[in-house]
Amino acid sequence: MKIYIFILFYILTTFIIGNDARELTWKTMANLNFETGQAPHFLQDHHNKMVEVAGFIVPLEMDESIDQVKEFMLVPDPLSCIHVPPPPPNQIIFVKMKDAIPLDMD
């Protein structure tokens, strides 16, 4: 079985959001208390800012072909799929793109 992964945010950073984005790591996001919504100050500093997050795509919805994706979960690594047990909520980013992007399954 092929793993549905794709490194996305290098492409997004380079072609869409430019160099103004701040890097936000999964380790930093893990400090969000997803039960209370409380975030430490160093994480709150990223609120309403353009950020760059590297990760792997878990497709949720694809067009007729499997070479494009529009809705997906971004997770830290290929083993962090949304199957049982899924990663904690502070380690999943839901992405809904305006336009589909290529998905390389090779």
Side-chain angles (χ1 to χ4, degrees):
M1 182 173 133
K2 292 184 179 181
I3 299 175
Y4 300 120
I5 61 174
F6 183 80
I7 301 176
L8 167 70
F9 282 89
Y10 173 76
I11 295 169
L12 287 179
T13 302
T14 304
F15 297 108
I16 298 173
I17 59 178
N19 294 329
D20 294 335
R22 302 163 70 182
E23 181 180 8
L24 182 58
T25 65
W26 293 99
K27 185 176 180 178
T28 301
M29 288 187 286
N31 290 290
L32 171 69
N33 184 328
F34 59 86
E35 292 177 349
T36 65
Q38 295 296 318
H41 292 291
F42 61 86
L43 186 55
Q44 291 176 10
D45 290 342
H46 294 284
H47 186 66
N48 289 327
K49 303 283 193 276
M50 190 72 69
V51 296
E52 174 184 343
V53 180
F56 298 86
I57 288 178
V58 178
L60 295 177
E61 180 180 302
M62 293 185 280
D63 293 336
E64 291 94 31
S65 63
I66 59 170
D67 58 348
Q68 292 187 346
V69 64
K70 194 172 183 177
E71 289 188 22
F72 57 90
M73 297 291 188
L74 189 70
V75 296
D77 59 67
L79 300 176
S80 298
C81 63
I82 57 173
H83 300 226
V84 177
N90 59 4
Q91 296 292 286
I92 301 172
I93 299 172
F94 173 68
V95 179
K96 186 171 184 177
M97 306 279 294
K98 181 177 180 181
D99 298 310
I101 60 169
L103 183 63
D104 184 5
M105 303 271 295
D106 296 328

XYZ file of all heavy atoms in Angstrom:
858
model
N 0.849 -1.193 0.000
C 0.000 0.000 0.000
C 0.884 1.243 0.000
O 1.839 1.350 0.736
C -0.874 -0.012 1.242
C -1.815 1.135 1.316
S -2.936 0.943 2.707
C -2.816 2.552 3.393
N 0.545 2.137 -0.859
C 1.314 3.374 -0.931
C 0.862 4.322 0.174
O -0.295 4.402 0.512
C 1.119 4.046 -2.279
C 1.721 3.267 -3.413
C 1.565 4.031 -4.692
C 2.191 3.257 -5.825
N 2.094 3.953 -7.080
N 1.794 5.019 0.728
C 1.476 6.011 1.757
C 1.158 7.325 1.051
O 1.893 7.778 0.177
C 2.658 6.197 2.723
C 2.973 4.891 3.417
C 2.343 7.274 3.735
C 4.203 4.957 4.284
N 0.056 7.915 1.414
C -0.370 9.171 0.797
C 0.333 10.337 1.475
O -0.186 10.926 2.424
C -1.882 9.351 0.927
C -2.687 8.281 0.278
C -3.549 7.512 1.017
C -2.575 8.026 -1.065
C -4.300 6.517 0.426
C -3.313 7.051 -1.668
C -4.176 6.289 -0.917
O -4.928 5.318 -1.503
N 1.539 10.612 1.002
C 2.283 11.719 1.600
C 2.746 12.687 0.523
O 2.915 12.329 -0.620
C 3.487 11.233 2.427
C 4.480 10.476 1.548
C 3.041 10.379 3.577
C 5.744 10.105 2.252
N 2.928 13.879 0.905
C 3.406 14.889 -0.017
C 3.910 16.057 0.807
O 3.201 16.533 1.679
C 2.252 15.327 -0.924
C 2.633 16.323 -1.961
C 3.252 15.911 -3.113
C 2.356 17.665 -1.805
C 3.586 16.811 -4.084
C 2.686 18.572 -2.773
C 3.296 18.136 -3.921
N 5.115 16.490 0.569
C 5.621 17.646 1.295
C 5.073 18.884 0.606
O 5.430 19.198 -0.510
C 7.154 17.652 1.348
C 7.648 16.396 2.027
C 7.662 18.903 2.041
C 9.135 16.237 2.060
N 4.174 19.570 1.281
C 3.409 20.643 0.667
C 3.981 22.028 0.942
O 4.092 22.844 0.047
C 1.963 20.592 1.175
C 1.108 21.812 0.867
C 0.815 21.855 -0.612
C -0.156 21.766 1.664
N 4.335 22.304 2.111
C 4.541 23.692 2.480
C 5.811 24.316 1.935
O 5.937 25.530 1.896
C 4.393 23.883 3.986
C 2.954 23.912 4.347
C 2.286 22.751 4.647
C 2.242 25.083 4.311
C 0.940 22.758 4.921
C 0.887 25.112 4.577
C 0.244 23.942 4.888
N 6.747 23.533 1.443
C 7.861 24.112 0.694
C 7.309 24.776 -0.559
O 7.658 25.905 -0.884
C 8.902 23.058 0.334
C 9.961 23.596 -0.584
C 10.963 24.419 -0.098
C 9.934 23.324 -1.943
C 11.921 24.943 -0.941
C 10.882 23.837 -2.792
C 11.877 24.653 -2.286
O 12.818 25.173 -3.130
N 6.406 24.077 -1.239
C 5.811 24.616 -2.460
C 4.958 25.843 -2.142
O 5.050 26.869 -2.804
C 4.977 23.539 -3.183
C 5.901 22.422 -3.661
C 4.186 24.136 -4.338
C 5.178 21.196 -4.156
N 4.119 25.736 -1.112
C 3.265 26.874 -0.750
C 4.093 28.084 -0.360
O 3.801 29.204 -0.762
C 2.331 26.500 0.401
C 1.180 25.574 0.050
C 0.366 25.276 1.307
C 0.299 26.177 -1.003
N 5.119 27.851 0.427
C 5.958 28.963 0.878
C 6.653 29.613 -0.300
O 6.697 30.833 -0.416
C 7.000 28.471 1.894
O 6.323 27.878 2.984
C 7.846 29.619 2.402
N 7.178 28.809 -1.202
C 7.931 29.336 -2.326
C 7.049 30.079 -3.319
O 7.376 31.164 -3.771
C 8.666 28.193 -3.053
O 9.487 27.523 -2.105
C 9.536 28.726 -4.171
N 5.889 29.502 -3.666
C 5.093 30.052 -4.744
C 3.893 30.880 -4.307
O 3.399 31.679 -5.080
C 4.603 28.922 -5.658
C 5.741 28.203 -6.318
C 6.072 26.929 -5.915
C 6.485 28.817 -7.298
C 7.134 26.265 -6.505
C 7.540 28.167 -7.897
C 7.871 26.884 -7.497
N 3.381 30.686 -3.112
C 2.140 31.370 -2.736
C 2.356 32.410 -1.650
O 2.025 33.572 -1.823
C 1.071 30.353 -2.290
C 0.741 29.429 -3.460
C -0.185 31.056 -1.802
C -0.174 28.296 -3.105
N 2.906 32.009 -0.525
C 2.963 32.937 0.604
C 4.271 33.692 0.700
O 4.403 34.580 1.509
C 2.659 32.226 1.944
C 3.621 31.092 2.220
C 1.239 31.754 1.982
C 3.403 30.396 3.541
N 5.256 33.352 -0.097
C 6.496 34.101 -0.127
C 7.354 33.886 1.101
O 7.178 32.936 1.848
N 8.274 34.814 1.312
C 9.256 34.660 2.383
C 8.851 35.351 3.674
O 9.636 35.411 4.605
C 10.621 35.180 1.910
C 11.176 34.326 0.792
O 10.921 33.130 0.744
N 11.930 34.939 -0.109
N 7.650 35.908 3.745
C 7.217 36.610 4.944
C 6.708 35.665 6.027
O 6.406 36.094 7.131
C 6.118 37.617 4.602
C 6.635 38.734 3.710
O 7.854 39.003 3.757
O 5.827 39.324 2.984
N 6.592 34.393 5.712
C 6.041 33.430 6.666
C 7.058 33.105 7.754
O 8.252 33.041 7.513
C 5.625 32.151 5.937
N 6.527 32.888 8.948
C 7.343 32.476 10.091
C 7.213 30.969 10.236
O 6.137 30.416 10.084
C 6.826 33.159 11.357
C 6.818 34.666 11.262
C 5.947 35.290 12.310
N 6.511 35.155 13.636
C 5.917 35.589 14.741
N 4.750 36.186 14.648
N 6.465 35.426 15.910
N 8.333 30.311 10.541
C 8.283 28.862 10.721
C 7.562 28.530 12.025
O 7.834 29.110 13.064
C 9.685 28.270 10.752
C 9.665 26.771 10.913
C 11.051 26.146 10.951
O 12.038 26.893 11.010
O 11.120 24.916 10.935
N 6.639 27.603 11.940
C 5.919 27.099 13.107
C 6.120 25.590 13.131
O 5.755 24.900 12.182
C 4.430 27.448 13.016
C 3.553 27.029 14.186
C 4.041 27.630 15.494
C 2.109 27.428 13.934
N 6.724 25.102 14.187
C 7.042 23.673 14.256
C 5.941 22.905 14.973
O 5.154 23.463 15.743
C 8.366 23.435 15.002
O 8.205 23.833 16.372
C 9.513 24.213 14.367
N 5.901 21.601 14.705
C 4.943 20.727 15.378
C 5.241 20.676 16.874
O 4.327 20.587 17.686
C 4.993 19.335 14.764
C 4.503 19.340 13.356
C 5.270 19.362 12.225
C 3.149 19.369 12.920
N 4.460 19.391 11.118
C 3.163 19.394 11.514
C 1.929 19.377 13.581
C 1.995 19.417 10.761
C 0.770 19.393 12.818
C 0.808 19.415 11.429
N 6.498 20.770 17.239
C 6.871 20.765 18.661
C 6.271 21.991 19.363
O 5.761 21.894 20.470
C 8.391 20.753 18.800
C 8.871 20.637 20.210
C 10.392 20.542 20.272
C 10.851 20.422 21.704
N 12.304 20.285 21.803
N 6.303 23.122 18.686
C 5.707 24.337 19.245
C 4.193 24.189 19.361
O 3.602 24.521 20.392
C 6.050 25.555 18.374
O 7.471 25.691 18.309
C 5.454 26.832 18.940
N 3.557 23.656 18.312
C 2.102 23.499 18.343
C 1.652 22.483 19.384
O 0.528 22.564 19.884
C 1.585 23.093 16.962
C 1.651 24.230 15.967
S 0.869 23.846 14.392
C 2.068 22.742 13.667
N 2.522 21.539 19.744
C 2.177 20.544 20.759
C 1.956 21.184 22.124
O 1.355 20.570 23.012
C 3.265 19.476 20.841
N 2.398 22.431 22.304
C 2.214 23.129 23.579
C 0.815 23.699 23.759
O 0.481 24.178 24.840
C 3.254 24.250 23.710
C 4.625 23.702 23.917
O 4.927 23.154 24.968
N 5.473 23.801 22.901
N -0.005 23.657 22.713
C -1.392 24.090 22.843
C -2.157 23.044 23.645
O -2.114 21.862 23.338
C -2.047 24.240 21.470
C -3.555 24.489 21.492
C -3.861 25.870 22.047
C -4.141 24.315 20.109
N -2.830 23.459 24.683
C -3.678 22.550 25.446
C -5.005 22.459 24.706
O -5.836 23.356 24.782
C -3.883 23.065 26.872
C -4.680 22.111 27.724
O -5.557 21.396 27.242
N -4.390 22.106 29.003
N -5.192 21.371 23.949
C -6.376 21.262 23.105
C -7.649 21.028 23.907
O -8.732 21.167 23.389
C -6.200 20.187 22.024
C -5.915 18.806 22.545
C -6.940 17.959 22.907
C -4.616 18.367 22.650
C -6.676 16.692 23.384
C -4.340 17.090 23.113
C -5.370 16.255 23.490
N -7.537 20.691 25.186
C -8.736 20.518 26.011
C -9.250 21.845 26.540
O -10.450 22.051 26.663
C -8.449 19.553 27.155
C -8.209 18.126 26.666
C -7.843 17.167 27.782
O -7.575 17.622 28.916
O -7.832 15.958 27.516
N -8.333 22.764 26.852
C -8.743 24.063 27.402
C -8.621 25.203 26.394
O -9.180 26.262 26.599
C -7.883 24.423 28.632
O -6.522 24.612 28.209
C -7.965 23.344 29.698
N -7.843 24.978 25.326
C -7.600 26.038 24.355
C -6.514 26.999 24.790
O -6.241 27.980 24.109
N -5.892 26.754 25.919
C -4.835 27.627 26.427
C -3.542 27.404 25.648
O -3.128 26.279 25.419
C -4.585 27.360 27.911
C -5.762 27.718 28.795
C -6.050 29.207 28.764
O -5.155 30.031 28.803
N -7.328 29.557 28.687
N -2.918 28.499 25.257
C -1.648 28.446 24.539
C -0.626 29.306 25.265
O -0.963 30.401 25.732
C -1.832 28.955 23.117
N 0.608 28.839 25.375
C 1.651 29.676 25.987
C 1.919 30.914 25.122
O 1.583 30.939 23.926
C 2.867 28.751 26.041
C 2.598 27.640 25.102
C 1.112 27.552 24.942
N 2.533 31.919 25.716
C 2.761 33.191 25.018
C 3.559 33.012 23.734
O 3.264 33.639 22.722
C 3.448 34.206 25.935
C 2.561 34.666 27.049
N 1.463 35.460 26.833
C 2.602 34.417 28.378
C 0.849 35.692 27.982
N 1.518 35.061 28.944
N 4.575 32.136 23.747
C 5.388 31.964 22.541
C 4.579 31.354 21.403
O 4.887 31.567 20.235
C 6.649 31.145 22.815
C 6.403 29.738 23.304
C 6.201 28.698 22.406
C 6.382 29.458 24.661
C 5.986 27.411 22.855
C 6.169 28.173 25.116
C 5.963 27.145 24.214
N 3.507 30.639 21.702
C 2.632 30.114 20.662
C 1.609 31.172 20.245
O 1.284 31.299 19.068
C 1.930 28.841 21.143
C 1.090 28.086 20.126
C 1.906 27.732 18.887
C 0.509 26.826 20.737
N 1.148 31.957 21.176
C 0.210 33.041 20.862
C 0.839 34.077 19.939
O 0.137 34.765 19.199
C -0.277 33.713 22.141
C -1.166 32.840 22.985
C -1.556 33.501 24.307
O -1.317 34.689 24.507
N -2.142 32.728 25.191
N 2.168 34.180 19.950
C 2.856 35.125 19.074
C 2.616 34.826 17.593
O 2.819 35.687 16.748
C 4.364 35.121 19.345
C 4.713 35.739 20.685
O 3.869 36.469 21.251
O 5.827 35.491 21.172
N 2.179 33.607 17.269
C 1.920 33.219 15.886
C 0.477 33.494 15.460
O 0.148 33.342 14.287
C 2.210 31.727 15.688
C 3.655 31.386 15.846
N 4.592 31.650 14.897
C 4.322 30.800 16.871
C 5.775 31.244 15.300
N 5.634 30.727 16.501
N -0.378 33.899 16.393
C -1.794 34.132 16.091
C -1.943 35.226 15.046
O -1.345 36.299 15.146
C -2.532 34.501 17.383
C -4.005 34.619 17.210
N -4.811 33.552 16.906
C -4.820 35.691 17.271
C -6.055 33.954 16.801
N -6.082 35.252 17.015
N -2.763 34.958 14.030
C -3.023 35.896 12.923
C -1.768 36.279 12.150
O -1.701 37.365 11.570
C -3.736 37.157 13.418
C -5.163 36.874 13.809
O -5.818 36.017 13.212
N -5.656 37.581 14.802
N -0.775 35.408 12.145
C 0.445 35.623 11.374
C 0.534 34.556 10.292
O -0.001 33.462 10.430
C 1.689 35.513 12.275
C 1.711 36.450 13.459
C 2.072 37.849 13.030
C 2.415 38.746 14.175
N 1.366 39.381 14.855
N 1.199 34.874 9.208
C 1.460 33.912 8.148
C 2.552 32.965 8.666
O 3.592 33.428 9.153
C 1.956 34.632 6.893
C 2.017 33.768 5.688
S 0.406 33.361 5.011
C -0.131 34.925 4.397
N 2.283 31.669 8.617
C 3.242 30.694 9.120
C 3.574 29.655 8.053
O 2.816 29.444 7.108
C 2.734 29.969 10.393
C 2.567 30.943 11.542
C 1.460 29.196 10.128
N 4.705 29.029 8.233
C 5.147 27.926 7.377
C 5.225 26.677 8.249
O 5.853 26.681 9.303
C 6.526 28.241 6.810
C 7.143 27.121 6.044
C 8.552 27.459 5.585
O 8.933 28.638 5.577
O 9.279 26.514 5.240
N 4.539 25.614 7.826
C 4.533 24.353 8.564
C 4.864 23.234 7.581
O 4.183 23.083 6.570
C 3.153 24.069 9.208
C 3.178 22.759 9.979
C 2.729 25.213 10.115
N 5.892 22.471 7.868
C 6.241 21.324 7.023
C 5.498 20.106 7.548
O 5.391 19.913 8.762
C 7.741 21.083 7.050
N 4.970 19.279 6.648
C 4.244 18.107 7.095
C 3.874 17.199 5.950
O 4.371 17.346 4.829
N 2.986 16.277 6.209
C 2.571 15.260 5.259
C 1.063 15.292 5.086
O 0.317 15.468 6.039
C 3.032 13.883 5.742
C 4.521 13.794 5.833
C 5.189 14.197 6.970
C 5.260 13.337 4.747
C 6.566 14.144 7.047
C 6.635 13.278 4.812
C 7.288 13.682 5.960
N 0.637 15.095 3.848
C -0.780 15.179 3.510
C -1.480 13.847 3.747
O -0.995 12.805 3.338
C -0.953 15.580 2.044
C -0.579 17.041 1.871
C -2.373 15.326 1.558
C -0.677 17.521 0.446
N -2.640 13.918 4.410
C -3.570 12.793 4.495
C -4.816 13.256 3.752
O -5.597 14.049 4.271
C -3.912 12.437 5.958
C -4.923 11.303 6.005
C -2.659 12.101 6.750
N -4.996 12.812 2.480
C -6.124 13.302 1.674
C -7.464 12.957 2.305
O -7.661 11.879 2.850
C -5.968 12.557 0.346
C -4.573 12.063 0.319
C -4.180 11.848 1.750
N -8.406 13.888 2.229
C -9.768 13.662 2.705
C -10.734 13.552 1.540
O -11.691 12.800 1.587
C -10.213 14.795 3.632
C -9.442 14.918 4.928
C -9.938 16.127 5.701
C -9.566 13.659 5.749
N -10.489 14.330 0.520
C -11.364 14.352 -0.636
C -10.504 14.587 -1.864
O -9.658 15.468 -1.880
C -12.367 15.501 -0.491
C -13.329 15.638 -1.622
C -14.271 16.807 -1.392
O -14.972 16.811 -0.376
O -14.274 17.705 -2.247
N -10.703 13.756 -2.871
C -9.949 13.912 -4.103
C -10.919 13.932 -5.272
O -12.020 13.396 -5.187
C -8.946 12.780 -4.269
C -7.848 12.823 -3.228
S -6.572 11.599 -3.478
C -7.352 10.140 -2.814
N -10.488 14.559 -6.367
C -11.300 14.554 -7.580
C -11.356 13.138 -8.136
O -10.925 12.193 -7.503
C -10.706 15.525 -8.601
C -10.822 16.968 -8.120
O -11.717 17.235 -7.295
O -10.017 17.811 -8.556
N -11.865 12.999 -9.359
C -11.997 11.679 -9.958
C -10.675 10.931 -9.996
O -10.619 9.721 -9.897
C -12.565 11.781 -11.390
C -14.000 12.216 -11.460
C -14.126 13.722 -11.645
O -13.249 14.346 -12.271
O -15.112 14.274 -11.137
N -9.605 11.636 -10.159
C -8.290 10.995 -10.195
C -7.610 11.166 -8.843
O -8.016 11.976 -8.020
C -7.440 11.632 -11.294
O -7.226 12.996 -10.995
N -6.588 10.367 -8.635
C -5.879 10.465 -7.356
C -4.609 11.290 -7.497
O -3.711 11.183 -6.683
C -5.549 9.069 -6.784
C -4.674 8.274 -7.754
C -6.796 8.329 -6.395
C -4.118 7.011 -7.159
N -4.557 12.133 -8.522
C -3.357 12.940 -8.708
C -3.528 14.389 -8.253
O -2.630 15.190 -8.400
C -2.886 12.880 -10.161
C -3.942 13.356 -11.154
O -5.104 13.517 -10.758
O -3.585 13.554 -12.326
N -4.691 14.710 -7.677
C -4.917 16.041 -7.138
C -5.681 15.937 -5.827
O -6.451 15.010 -5.620
C -5.721 16.897 -8.109
C -4.985 17.242 -9.367
C -5.774 18.237 -10.204
O -6.959 18.476 -9.992
N -5.098 18.848 -11.159
N -5.468 16.921 -4.968
C -6.169 16.949 -3.687
C -6.522 18.394 -3.357
O -5.785 19.317 -3.685
C -5.313 16.301 -2.566
C -4.050 17.089 -2.311
C -6.103 16.141 -1.291
N -7.685 18.558 -2.742
C -8.174 19.892 -2.382
C -8.393 20.020 -0.870
O -8.199 21.081 -0.300
C -9.468 20.176 -3.136
C -9.907 21.594 -3.126
C -11.081 21.790 -4.072
C -11.478 23.238 -4.131
N -12.553 23.454 -5.085
N -8.829 18.944 -0.225
C -9.035 18.928 1.230
C -8.172 17.836 1.833
O -8.179 16.705 1.354
C -10.494 18.657 1.572
C -11.419 19.789 1.246
C -12.821 19.554 1.771
O -13.003 18.753 2.704
O -13.744 20.180 1.240
N -7.453 18.199 2.886
C -6.585 17.216 3.515
C -6.242 17.622 4.943
O -6.480 18.760 5.354
C -5.295 17.021 2.702
C -4.491 18.285 2.469
C -3.508 18.679 3.363
C -4.718 19.057 1.348
C -2.764 19.835 3.136
C -3.989 20.205 1.114
C -3.002 20.600 2.011
N -5.723 16.675 5.674
C -5.162 16.940 6.995
C -3.648 16.982 6.821
O -3.073 16.143 6.125
C -5.516 15.836 7.986
C -6.984 15.705 8.254
S -7.578 17.121 9.169
C -9.213 16.579 9.544
N -3.023 17.959 7.424
C -1.573 18.027 7.446
C -1.127 17.507 8.802
O -1.610 17.965 9.848
C -1.093 19.464 7.242
C 0.404 19.612 7.040
C 0.812 19.040 5.685
C 0.823 21.063 7.141
N -0.247 16.511 8.793
C 0.223 15.874 10.023
C 1.750 15.902 10.045
O 2.381 16.100 9.009
C -0.319 14.426 10.154
C -1.838 14.438 10.273
C 0.120 13.563 8.992
N 2.362 15.695 11.216
C 3.814 15.827 11.334
C 4.631 14.823 10.516
O 5.681 15.161 10.008
C 4.095 15.625 12.822
C 2.801 15.803 13.506
C 1.734 15.484 12.523
N 4.174 13.594 10.404
C 4.974 12.570 9.728
C 4.057 11.532 9.091
O 2.865 11.497 9.379
C 5.949 11.912 10.711
C 5.253 11.270 11.884
O 4.538 10.265 11.675
O 5.424 11.754 13.012
N 4.618 10.667 8.227
C 3.768 9.714 7.506
C 3.052 8.711 8.406
O 2.040 8.157 8.011
C 4.738 8.970 6.587
C 6.010 9.688 6.650
C 5.988 10.609 7.806
N 3.544 8.483 9.597
C 2.896 7.536 10.508
C 1.758 8.162 11.298
O 1.030 7.478 12.000
C 3.929 6.938 11.455
C 5.072 6.177 10.771
C 6.085 5.706 11.793
C 4.546 5.025 9.949
N 1.592 9.476 11.190
C 0.532 10.189 11.909
C -0.724 10.279 11.063
O -1.228 11.357 10.777
C 0.995 11.595 12.285
O 2.081 11.560 13.139
N -1.237 9.145 10.661
C -2.455 9.180 9.860
C -3.646 9.403 10.789
O -3.506 9.472 11.996
C -2.618 7.895 9.050
S -2.816 6.430 10.065
N -4.816 9.507 10.227
C -5.991 9.795 11.057
C -6.721 8.527 11.453
O -7.860 8.561 11.872
C -6.931 10.789 10.351
C -7.364 10.260 8.988
C -6.299 12.151 10.235
C -8.409 11.104 8.297
N -6.059 7.382 11.333
C -6.651 6.120 11.748
C -6.482 5.962 13.252
O -5.929 6.811 13.923
C -5.980 4.959 11.009
C -6.144 5.070 9.522
N -6.504 4.024 8.744
C -6.023 6.112 8.674
C -6.574 4.407 7.494
N -6.281 5.678 7.429
N -6.920 4.869 13.781
C -6.883 4.643 15.226
C -5.484 4.213 15.642
O -4.937 3.297 15.063
C -7.921 3.563 15.610
C -7.858 3.266 17.086
C -9.306 3.986 15.193
N -4.873 4.804 16.626
C -5.294 6.058 17.256
C -4.792 7.250 16.441
O -3.671 7.243 15.969
C -4.600 6.016 18.615
C -3.339 5.252 18.376
C -3.687 4.239 17.300
N -5.631 8.253 16.291
C -5.198 9.443 15.548
C -4.249 10.290 16.399
O -4.209 10.143 17.625
C -6.515 10.190 15.309
C -7.367 9.794 16.465
C -6.996 8.365 16.766
N -3.501 11.178 15.773
C -2.681 12.105 16.558
C -3.591 13.046 17.348
O -4.758 13.215 16.999
C -1.879 12.866 15.509
C -2.386 12.467 14.181
C -3.364 11.358 14.348
N -3.079 13.663 18.393
C -3.906 14.615 19.151
C -4.277 15.814 18.272
O -3.599 16.105 17.280
C -3.004 15.038 20.314
C -1.621 14.700 19.904
C -1.718 13.566 18.935
N -5.348 16.517 18.611
C -5.811 17.644 17.792
C -4.764 18.732 17.571
O -4.794 19.402 16.543
C -7.000 18.199 18.577
C -7.488 17.052 19.383
C -6.265 16.240 19.718
N -3.833 18.903 18.501
C -2.815 19.935 18.314
C -1.696 19.470 17.383
O -0.707 20.160 17.204
C -2.255 20.419 19.641
C -1.630 19.324 20.468
O -1.520 18.173 20.045
N -1.211 19.670 21.663
N -1.869 18.301 16.770
C -0.907 17.773 15.809
C -1.570 17.471 14.466
O -1.083 16.671 13.677
C -0.237 16.511 16.361
C 0.587 16.762 17.600
C 1.818 17.610 17.292
O 2.760 17.132 16.704
N 1.810 18.870 17.702
N -2.709 18.117 14.191
C -3.426 17.969 12.926
C -3.861 19.355 12.468
O -4.397 20.137 13.246
C -4.687 17.090 13.093
C -4.347 15.705 13.617
C -5.448 16.996 11.776
C -5.576 14.872 13.976
N -3.628 19.642 11.191
C -4.095 20.895 10.602
C -5.047 20.540 9.468
O -4.669 19.816 8.541
C -2.927 21.740 10.058
C -1.953 22.101 11.191
C -3.453 23.002 9.372
C -0.679 22.770 10.712
N -6.278 21.020 9.538
C -7.239 20.814 8.457
C -6.986 21.878 7.391
O -6.929 23.071 7.693
C -8.675 20.915 8.963
C -9.692 20.879 7.858
C -9.895 19.721 7.126
C -10.424 22.003 7.545
C -10.827 19.690 6.093
C -11.358 21.981 6.520
C -11.563 20.811 5.795
N -6.824 21.442 6.132
C -6.546 22.361 5.032
C -7.623 22.183 3.970
O -7.901 21.065 3.544
C -5.154 22.089 4.409
C -4.888 23.043 3.257
C -4.059 22.179 5.463
N -8.223 23.284 3.561
C -9.190 23.282 2.464
C -8.710 24.330 1.466
O -8.798 25.525 1.729
C -10.592 23.607 2.974
C -11.649 23.471 1.924
C -13.028 23.581 2.542
C -14.095 23.349 1.492
N -15.431 23.374 2.074
N -8.179 23.851 0.338
C -7.590 24.721 -0.671
C -8.679 25.266 -1.594
O -9.680 24.593 -1.845
C -6.576 23.938 -1.507
C -5.509 23.223 -0.718
S -4.156 24.259 -0.207
C -3.426 24.674 -1.758
N -8.479 26.451 -2.115
C -9.398 27.013 -3.101
C -9.316 26.205 -4.397
O -10.322 25.903 -5.007
C -9.051 28.478 -3.357
C -9.960 29.158 -4.341
C -9.601 30.619 -4.500
C -10.528 31.265 -5.505
N -10.194 32.676 -5.704
N -8.097 25.864 -4.795
C -7.868 25.056 -5.987
C -7.103 23.795 -5.586
O -6.296 23.820 -4.660
C -7.049 25.840 -7.023
C -7.773 27.087 -7.505
O -8.957 26.955 -7.881
O -7.164 28.158 -7.504
N -7.347 22.725 -6.323
C -6.650 21.460 -6.058
C -5.161 21.610 -6.385
O -4.775 22.388 -7.247
C -7.260 20.338 -6.877
N -4.349 20.853 -5.659
C -2.905 20.816 -5.904
C -2.518 19.414 -6.347
O -3.220 18.440 -6.041
C -2.106 21.232 -4.651
C -2.410 20.281 -3.487
C -2.369 22.679 -4.282
C -1.481 20.439 -2.311
N -1.406 19.281 -7.060
C -0.967 17.941 -7.488
C -0.578 17.090 -6.289
O -0.043 17.584 -5.302
C 0.243 18.212 -8.372
C 0.401 19.668 -8.466
C -0.541 20.332 -7.527
N -0.865 15.817 -6.376
C -0.505 14.863 -5.337
C 0.339 13.771 -5.980
O -0.145 13.029 -6.827
C -1.759 14.257 -4.707
C -1.546 13.302 -3.550
C -0.885 14.003 -2.371
C -2.862 12.690 -3.106
N 1.590 13.695 -5.587
C 2.512 12.715 -6.152
C 2.488 11.471 -5.289
O 2.922 11.487 -4.145
C 3.910 13.293 -6.223
C 4.902 12.366 -6.892
O 4.495 11.306 -7.390
O 6.103 12.721 -6.917
N 1.991 10.372 -5.820
C 1.832 9.132 -5.065
C 2.994 8.174 -5.295
O 2.960 7.040 -4.847
C 0.521 8.454 -5.446
C -0.687 9.324 -5.227
S -1.381 9.190 -3.612
C -1.929 7.530 -3.617
N 4.009 8.574 -6.051
C 5.129 7.677 -6.340
C 6.169 7.684 -5.256
O 6.360 8.545 -4.527
C 5.777 8.051 -7.673
C 4.800 7.849 -8.820
O 3.968 6.933 -8.733
O 4.891 8.633 -9.778
